[in-house]
């Protein structure tokens, strides 16, 4: 006769003796040892390795004897880290307490069928985006990015501004409208620096007057810039040229809402309409290579003398009825201008 039994402490087959009253007979017992199923549920981000205490691998789906010890170990994938061990299927799993949580190692005793699993999480990193005034960077502030993923930033200057520089992790990179951190594996930073768009206005003037401000003036986008044109005494503005186009002569000009480079040039001519006879204002004679100028008016006169090269030799003030003596060191023609608040005149004298 064959009798099937379940036993915890018996293995394989055994021959036993049994006595039933006056009868004694040997029976062959077929022992079915108790076994528990070990199921290993792998999850994203890592793998699970089951081992005996001696370090032998236990395959998924193995049947183990009661009270057998199982050591669970894990290996995280690149960019992932181990979180927890669980016992049970997805619907009913419970957290396993680990002796070595930092190693992701958990001992387990087989006292029932078990399904073991582990959870893994991806490392995350922070990308910090900042800017100054004059534009935007999107997204701005701190953004969390999972290991291996990418994040694109959009850089947009406001009207009247340009992107002056783009700083990534402390280093300048090529200025562009967008920047992508690809396959992120560390923290990063990005900063957009904006600056006003500027333009240059070049102002020049011919002889016998000036323009202010003169030279190159840097102005910002959308602003205005005014100029004052001042002729010398006895002169008027003869022409005003703006960006190469002749304009009506004026002593003031304003560039409004500037969105491009510009130029302005002023020319001057003698004010013939208000010119006085030199004799009515002053008289001039030569005495031993000295120019002698006498003020013939009852008020003060401003006197300016230009040498033979056209350079200003001197500018003086002569009171009513007074005389100026100006040495002339070169031969040639000298130009003499005289003016006061109401009148002006000029003349030339030859120095031999």
């Amino acid at each position: 006769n064959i009798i099937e039994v379940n036993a915890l402490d018996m293995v394989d087959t055994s021959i036993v003796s049994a006595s039933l009253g006056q009868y004694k007979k040997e029976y062959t017992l077929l022992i079915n040892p108790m076994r528990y199923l070990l199921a290993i549920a792998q999850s994203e981000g890592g793998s699970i390795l089951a081992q005996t205490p001696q370090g032998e691998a236990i395959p998924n789906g193995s049947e183990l004897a009661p009270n057998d010890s199982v050591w669970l170990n894990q290996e995280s994938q690149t960019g992932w880290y181990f979180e927890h061990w669980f016992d049970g299927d997805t619907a009913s799993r419970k957290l396993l307490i680990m002796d070595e949580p930092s190693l992701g190692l958990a001992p387990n005793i087989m006292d029932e069928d078990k399904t073991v699993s582990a959870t893994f999480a991806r490392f995350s990193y922070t990308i910090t985006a900042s800017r100054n005034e004059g534009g935007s960077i999107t997204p701005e502030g701190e953004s969390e990015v999972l290991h291996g993923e990418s994040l694109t930033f959009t850089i947009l200057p406001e009207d009247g501004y340009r992107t002056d520089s783009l700083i990534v992790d402390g280093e300048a990179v090529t200025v562009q409208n967008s920047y992508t951190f690809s396959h992120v594996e560390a923290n990063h930073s990005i900063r957009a620096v904006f600056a006003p768009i500027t333009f240059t206005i070049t102002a020049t003037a011919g002889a016998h007057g000036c323009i202010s401000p003169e030279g190159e003036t840097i102005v910002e986008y959308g602003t205005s810039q005014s100029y004052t044109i001042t002729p010398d005494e006895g002169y008027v503005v003869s022409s005003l040229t703006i960006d190469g186009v002749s304009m009506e002569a004026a002593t003031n000009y304003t560039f409004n809402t500037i969105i491009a480079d510009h130029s302005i040039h002023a020319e001057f001519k003698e004010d013939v309409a208000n010119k006085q006879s030199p004799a009515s204002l002053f008289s001039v004679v030569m005495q031993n290579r000295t120019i002698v100028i006498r003020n013939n008016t009852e008020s003060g006169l401003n006197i300016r003398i230009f040498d033979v090269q056209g350079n200003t030799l001197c500018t003086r003030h002569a009171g009513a009825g007074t005389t100026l003596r100006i040495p002339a060191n070169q031969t040639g023609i000298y130009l003499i201008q005289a003016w006061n608040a109401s009148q002006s005149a000029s003349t030339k004298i030859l120095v031999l």
Side-chain angles (χ1 to χ4, degrees):
N1 297 320
I2 297 176
I3 302 173
E4 292 189 10
V5 298
N6 288 324
L8 295 178
D9 299 322
M10 303 177 69
V11 296
D12 301 327
T13 60
S14 299
I15 299 175
V16 299
S17 296
S19 297
L20 298 174
Q22 59 179 326
Y23 301 102
K24 182 178 181 180
K25 188 174 182 178
E26 289 185 351
Y27 291 90
T28 299
L29 300 181
L30 178 61
I31 306 300
N32 293 329
M34 183 67 72
R35 292 287 188 268
Y36 294 125
L37 179 67
L38 176 64
I40 301 173
Q42 302 290 352
S43 59
E44 183 183 13
S47 58
I48 301 172
L49 174 64
Q51 295 176 312
T52 67
Q54 293 74 34
E56 296 178 0
I58 302 175
N60 179 31
S62 296
E63 293 185 345
L64 304 177
N67 297 321
D68 277 358
S69 293
V70 178
W71 282 90
L72 301 173
N73 207 344
Q74 58 78 30
E75 183 176 353
S76 303
Q77 296 176 0
T78 301
W80 294 72
Y81 63 92
F82 172 80
E83 283 191 316
H84 301 293
W85 287 111
F86 288 95
D87 182 12
D89 57 23
T90 303
S92 61
R93 67 183 184 179
K94 60 183 179 180
L95 184 66
L96 285 174
I97 304 302
M98 298 175 291
D99 288 346
E100 298 289 345
S102 62
L103 300 177
L105 191 65
N108 206 15
I109 302 298
M110 294 301 294
D111 54 6
E112 62 180 343
D113 290 341
K114 292 183 179 293
T115 299
V116 295
S117 62
T119 57
F120 302 87
R122 291 168 73 178
F123 287 106
S124 66
Y125 307 98
T126 300
I127 301 181
T128 304
S130 60
R131 62 174 178 84
N132 66 335
E133 65 176 8
S136 63
I137 183 168
T138 306
E140 187 174 4
E142 293 186 349
S143 298
E144 294 298 320
V145 184
L146 295 177
H147 182 96
E149 291 192 347
S150 300
L151 183 61
T152 297
F153 290 84
T154 301
I155 298 95
L156 182 64
E158 297 174 357
D159 288 343
Y161 286 83
R162 60 183 176 83
T163 305
D164 182 66
S165 59
L166 194 60
I167 311 299
V168 175
D169 296 334
E171 299 291 336
V173 300
T174 302
V175 172
Q176 49 199 295
N177 293 329
S178 66
Y179 187 89
T180 299
F181 291 94
S182 300
H183 197 72
V184 175
E185 296 181 352
N187 295 329
H188 293 285
S189 66
I190 181 172
R191 179 171 177 79
V193 180
F194 303 100
I197 297 174
T198 59
F199 302 99
T200 301
I201 301 180
T202 304
T204 55
H208 308 300
C210 63
I211 186 170
S212 179
E214 189 173 10
E216 293 186 348
T217 300
I218 305 300
V219 295
E220 294 184 1
Y221 178 99
T223 59
S224 300
Q225 178 65 44
S226 296
Y227 286 86
T228 301
I229 300 95
T230 305
D232 291 341
E233 290 292 337
Y235 287 83
V236 295
V237 179
S238 61
S239 65
L240 194 60
T241 304
I242 306 297
D243 297 335
V245 178
S246 181
M247 308 289 287
E248 183 179 351
T251 56
N252 293 281
Y253 189 86
T254 298
F255 292 95
N256 294 308
T257 316
I258 298 168
I259 57 173
D261 293 334
H262 292 286
S263 65
I264 179 172
H265 179 77
E267 287 288 344
F268 307 92
K269 64 181 180 180
E270 194 173 14
D271 186 6
V272 177
N274 295 315
K275 184 176 181 180
Q276 302 292 319
S277 168
S280 65
L281 296 181
F282 65 94
S283 58
V284 56
V285 296
M286 285 296 304
Q287 293 180 355
N288 299 323
R289 298 181 69 99
T290 297
I291 302 173
V292 180
I293 303 171
R294 177 178 175 77
N295 181 2
N296 296 330
T297 69
E298 296 181 355
S299 61
L301 275 181
N302 296 307
I303 306 294
R304 180 174 296 156
I305 302 176
F306 296 89
D307 62 18
V308 295
Q309 283 81 29
N311 301 317
T312 301
L313 180 62
C314 67
T315 301
R316 302 285 180 82
H317 182 77
T322 61
T323 301
L324 298 178
R325 297 178 179 273
I326 310 299
N329 298 322
Q330 294 177 294
T331 59
I333 297 175
Y334 287 71
L335 173 65
I336 302 169
Q337 295 178 340
W339 72 93
N340 56 23
S342 60
Q343 50 192 341
S344 65
S346 63
T347 190
K348 296 179 180 179
I349 188 170
L350 176 63
V351 176
L352 300 175

